[in-house]
Amino acid sequence: MSEPLFQDFPKISAKEWKQKIQSDLKGADYNETLIYKSNDGIDVKPFYHQDLLEKSVISENPAHWNICEKIYVASEKPSLEKIKEVLSRGAESLWLVIDSENIDLVSILEEIVSNNLEKNIPIFVEFNFLSEKYLSKINSFLSDKKHQVSFGIDIVGNLARSGNWYKNLQSDHEILEKLFTENTTSSLLSVDVSLYQNAGANIPQQIAYAISHANEYFNHFLHRNVTPSAVKGSFSITFKNAIGSNYFFEIAKLKALRLVFAAVASEYDFSKEMKILAFPTKRNKTLYDFNVNMLRTTTECMAAVLGGADSVCNAAYDEIYHKENEFGTRIARNQLLILKNESYFDPKTSGENPAEGSYYLETLTNQFAEKALEIFKDIEKSGGFLTQLKNGTIQRKIKESAEKEQADFDNGNYILVGTNKYEHAEDRMKSDLELYPFLKQKPRKTLIQPVLGRRLAEEVEKKRLEKEA
């Protein structure tokens, strides 16, 4: 048993495999019978072989991943109590969402950072406003602290999501630049890729829009002669990624995102360092047979880990229709704890990433990276990401992709168990709705058409709710 197990078996070439498959098809067309054409523009083959691999993907995945907990900070004391609770129950990093300048974030960070509530955990802070004074105060507090606090400032993402700048184009960029000159955090910027995924963009589009989105920041600093040496700390960006249900595609998506970002960042002489904060998509989540959402989020978190996310933040199975509750939050956290502690999804216990070395995944990664780069180059030739947002090109492209996916769902080619197949006719949900589960649209004046997320099952669910007794 000390000798290699397969040493006596002859190597079989890709050509020989294909010949055997074609022989077994007995005259049926190979391409029409066995090649799956995805809406992402990828032809999925029945087999993958080393002979067909154009180049091997060198992965720069993190050495470990963190279980992240998202907390909406409405007031200081209750939020601190919740932070203590989730850290005691297995959370390893925090995603704090700050809605108002009235929140004293410094007092919260002081408790965490200065008083060693938890030793130097990664903290990602997302702001739903832009205030130089507020952010400068936090920077000042962190200046002499050992910490892993990063900010989620994304002025381009706010424009794409809301249709407006926080203030205006010039003011937003000036505030961002001033913050960079006094930066003491490891990262100031984030790019919300989930915005495009939840709106229906395909995978090459998601990667391309993420990089074009980031490139707007690179271009700004380039044109203002802000060099890497002039930026305190590293020019690192946190990419927020929503993970869908196509398991292997989603693993390859994150790998391709790292590849393309590294290529573009190196052109500017900025650091290739990036962070990926991953979480389940909302696009495939359902109101009826809601427990199935728990299964969906499990595989999505698995894909995030294998794809190389730095932090994974799970979503509660009932988040689209229930207010935050202890049970849903605990189950979501425990899903990640089981993956890390019981299922060998932690590099510390498994030793290596089982997705590495797969010809299928490496081929997908290369294909997504190439297609994304093509889209990225077209965007830059047409004036850049902001230009295409303003003229509606990005929104139109996403809509076209979303309509293809919606058509697949409507005709049953894209299955959501319990919703458009294997429905439980006796399910009743009308009395359980604590939150409005459908897209809300408030008429308002905007500079551009906002990019809006929409779940695939919304129209089906509305009809079922109307029919409920």
Side-chain angles (χ1 to χ4, degrees):
M1 294 298 292
S2 61
E3 297 180 356
L5 182 60
F6 298 107
Q7 65 176 1
D8 294 328
F9 290 86
K11 291 183 178 180
I12 300 176
S13 67
K15 183 178 179 181
E16 289 174 299
W17 271 113
K18 188 171 182 179
Q19 287 174 341
K20 174 58 177 171
I21 291 170
Q22 287 178 318
S23 173
D24 290 345
L25 285 173
K26 301 185 186 303
D29 186 88
Y30 176 88
N31 291 327
E32 291 185 5
T33 307
L34 297 179
I35 302 293
Y36 164 67
K37 297 184 181 297
S38 76
N39 286 338
D40 303 285
I42 301 295
D43 291 346
V44 180
K45 301 174 184 178
F47 76 100
Y48 288 80
H49 193 283
Q50 188 175 20
D51 294 352
L52 303 176
L53 188 64
E54 295 181 4
K55 58 182 178 180
S56 182
V57 178
I58 300 175
S59 178
E60 297 184 6
N61 287 357
H64 65 277
W65 59 279
N66 294 306
I67 296 172
C68 184
E69 191 92 16
K70 187 176 186 179
I71 297 175
Y72 290 90
V73 181
S75 57
E76 296 84 6
K77 189 174 181 180
S79 295
L80 264 173
E81 290 303 313
K82 185 169 184 181
I83 287 169
K84 292 177 183 179
E85 178 191 356
V86 301
L87 291 175
S88 70
R89 293 191 175 190
E92 301 165 325
S93 63
L94 298 171
W95 175 1
L96 306 180
V97 181
I98 314 298
D99 269 331
S100 168
E101 293 182 56
N102 295 324
I103 299 298
D104 185 3
L105 181 59
V106 168
S107 67
I108 295 174
L109 293 176
E110 187 170 22
E111 180 76 20
I112 298 172
V113 178
S114 302
N115 298 333
N116 290 320
L117 181 59
E118 194 69 22
K119 292 184 179 179
N120 201 20
I121 60 168
I123 301 172
F124 175 72
V125 187
E126 179 180 335
F127 304 94
N128 290 331
F129 57 89
L130 185 65
S131 167
E132 180 188 350
K133 181 179 179 181
Y134 187 90
L135 293 167
S136 294
K137 181 180 178 182
I138 301 169
N139 256 328
S140 177
F141 165 75
L142 293 171
S143 62
D144 59 350
K145 307 290 189 303
K146 183 180 180 182
H147 64 86
Q148 291 190 72
V149 179
S150 58
F151 291 171
I153 300 173
D154 187 11
I155 59 177
V156 175
N158 182 69
L159 173 68
R161 180 176 54 255
S162 69
N164 290 311
W165 297 101
Y166 286 107
K167 303 180 189 301
N168 56 60
L169 184 151
Q170 182 176 345
S171 295
D172 283 12
H173 282 83
E174 285 178 352
I175 291 172
L176 182 64
E177 192 171 319
K178 288 176 183 177
L179 290 170
F180 260 97
T181 62
E182 59 184 33
N183 177 30
T184 60
T185 70
S186 58
S187 172
L188 274 178
L189 291 173
S190 71
V191 168
D192 188 2
V193 197
S194 70
L195 176 65
Y196 313 119
Q197 197 279 345
N198 280 308
N202 63 37
I203 287 177
Q205 287 175 334
Q206 291 171 48
I207 299 169
Y209 297 160
I211 302 304
S212 294
H213 186 147
N215 197 53
E216 288 295 332
Y217 296 122
F218 287 139
N219 276 326
H220 171 78
F221 288 107
L222 178 69
H223 293 152
R224 297 293 290 254
N225 295 316
V226 179
T227 62
S229 60
V231 178
K232 295 180 181 178
S234 62
F235 195 96
S236 173
I237 299 179
T238 299
F239 288 84
K240 294 161 51 187
N241 280 268
I243 306 299
S245 59
N246 196 333
Y247 189 65
F248 295 108
F249 276 37
E250 294 294 331
I251 295 172
K253 177 179 81 176
L254 295 188
K255 290 178 175 291
L257 177 61
R258 286 192 184 275
L259 283 179
V260 181
F261 178 75
V264 173
S266 63
E267 291 296 314
Y268 291 90
D269 234 7
F270 280 111
S271 170
K272 296 184 291 184
E273 180 186 353
M274 62 179 288
K275 298 292 183 183
I276 293 178
L277 171 58
F279 41 90
T281 180
K282 290 186 178 179
R283 190 157 172 77
N284 65 357
K285 301 306 178 288
T286 55
L287 184 59
Y288 289 90
D289 214 347
F290 49 79
N291 286 318
V292 180
N293 290 331
M294 206 181 302
L295 306 177
R296 296 183 181 117
T297 56
T298 298
T299 58
E300 289 159 2
C301 289
M302 289 163 61
V305 172
L306 297 180
D310 295 274
S311 294
V312 181
C313 183
N314 197 11
Y317 69 98
D318 58 349
E319 73 164 2
I320 63 172
Y321 70 93
H322 266 172
K323 294 178 182 178
E324 185 178 331
N325 58 87
E326 198 277 336
F327 181 78
T329 302
R330 178 169 58 85
I331 293 298
R333 186 189 314 116
N334 284 349
Q335 287 172 259
L336 295 175
L337 287 167
I338 288 172
L339 288 180
K340 175 166 274 194
N341 296 293
E342 297 185 27
S343 305
Y344 296 95
F345 274 78
D346 184 1
K348 293 179 182 178
T349 55
S350 63
E352 57 186 37
N353 188 332
E356 297 295 332
S358 163
Y359 302 143
Y360 178 41
L361 285 173
E362 292 201 5
T363 302
L364 284 178
T365 301
N366 285 326
Q367 289 177 320
F368 285 146
E370 290 167 3
K371 288 183 176 294
L373 274 172
E374 289 176 11
I375 298 171
F376 170 76
K377 290 176 182 177
D378 286 341
I379 292 172
E380 293 307 301
K381 287 178 183 176
S382 302
F385 191 67
L386 283 178
T387 297
Q388 290 213 340
L389 270 179
K390 290 172 183 176
N391 64 30
T393 301
I394 299 295
Q395 295 90 324
R396 176 173 55 81
K397 294 289 186 182
I398 293 176
K399 183 180 179 181
E400 290 170 358
S401 175
E403 287 175 345
K404 289 181 182 179
E405 191 177 35
Q406 188 69 56
D408 282 345
F409 171 80
D410 293 342
N411 62 32
N413 288 330
Y414 186 116
I415 295 171
L416 291 181
V417 173
T419 299
N420 65 341
K421 194 166 186 178
Y422 309 116
E423 303 97 323
H424 188 233
E426 295 180 3
D427 270 359
R428 298 291 182 271
M429 290 301 300
K430 188 177 291 186
S431 61
D432 288 331
L433 302 185
E434 297 176 353
L435 302 172
Y436 185 71
F438 308 117
L439 174 65
K440 296 178 183 177
Q441 288 184 283
K442 295 180 180 179
R444 65 185 189 280
K445 186 176 181 181
T446 59
L447 293 173
I448 66 167
Q449 177 187 349
V451 177
L452 301 173
R454 185 192 298 270
R455 292 184 300 107
L456 288 165
E458 288 196 13
E459 293 305 315
V460 171
E461 291 169 350
K462 286 178 182 177
K463 291 176 182 177
R464 287 185 67 174
L465 284 171
E466 288 174 1
K467 293 178 181 178
E468 284 190 19

